[in-house]
Amino acid sequence: MPHVEKAVKDWQQQFAGLKTSAANLMQIAFPPLEIMQSPTGCCETRLHWQDQDSEASGYVCIDDFVQATLQFENVPHSVAGQALDEVFGLGWFNGAELGVRQAGEGVYYWTDETNAAEWEVSVLPGGLANLSIEYTNAPDIATLLDALHTAYEDPHEDDAAT
């Protein structure tokens, strides 16, 4: 059985490396994310963010299946809409046929049938939005995080929803 014990240890080490790589991917895509130390409150691998200039904050978790969950609150609607519309294009979210950026107050969602991921954006009063994305793969979250970071750095205010 020593050969099986070694194989299990090798697998555990590779799996831990995969979760570390996923966390690195998130930080490269959205540099303000910081790794939380244990206890994290949920997944063992969790990153958090707090915007110093506003009430915006959030976290990304990487679970034991290496699926990612993102919860961001109080993000400027124009930033969230710009990022989501860039990644998805128009018409992906139910009820937001003209894109999330042009959507009025309300809840808009999309379910990815290939991996059972749930994507939801809540457009709030005061020009803010909450993002809730659950059970999707790390590259999809990283793509959105990169678009969010770009939108924060270079917002296209001229065509933002009012």
Side-chain angles (χ1 to χ4, degrees):
M1 291 288 214
H3 59 289
V4 172
E5 288 175 14
K6 182 186 180 321
V8 167
K9 285 181 183 178
D10 288 347
W11 177 84
Q12 289 172 327
Q13 187 175 25
Q14 293 293 322
F15 187 73
L18 183 60
K19 288 176 28 176
T20 299
S21 293
N24 290 340
L25 173 63
M26 302 306 166
Q27 287 183 297
I28 289 167
F30 196 84
L33 283 171
E34 297 177 0
I35 295 176
M36 293 179 69
Q37 300 303 314
S38 292
T40 63
C42 70
C43 302
E44 186 178 311
T45 304
R46 183 172 171 161
L47 301 95
H48 66 100
W49 158 73
Q50 174 70 51
D51 186 1
Q52 300 303 317
D53 298 327
S54 72
E55 295 293 317
S57 65
Y59 66 87
V60 176
C61 289
I62 301 155
D63 68 20
D64 287 341
F65 301 102
V66 196
Q67 292 177 311
T69 291
L70 177 144
Q71 298 286 329
F72 275 19
E73 295 181 348
N74 298 317
V75 175
H77 175 205
S78 61
V79 169
Q82 179 179 323
L84 287 164
D85 292 350
E86 176 186 318
V87 170
F88 286 98
L90 305 181
W92 276 87
F93 287 80
N94 292 342
E97 288 72 23
L98 298 177
V100 173
R101 192 158 195 193
Q102 296 299 320
E105 291 178 22
V107 178
Y108 307 94
Y109 64 93
W110 174 64
T111 302
D112 184 344
E113 294 177 7
T114 60
N115 63 8
E118 298 174 0
W119 294 66
E120 180 179 286
V121 58
S122 299
V123 178
L124 309 171
L128 299 175
N130 292 342
L131 303 174
S132 177
I133 301 150
E134 297 180 345
Y135 315 117
T136 195
N137 60 59
D140 286 351
I141 294 290
T143 299
L144 177 60
L145 285 169
D146 183 48
L148 283 167
H149 186 254
T150 299
Y152 262 109
E153 297 291 313
D154 185 27
H156 300 297
E157 294 297 330
D158 55 323
D159 61 352
T162 55

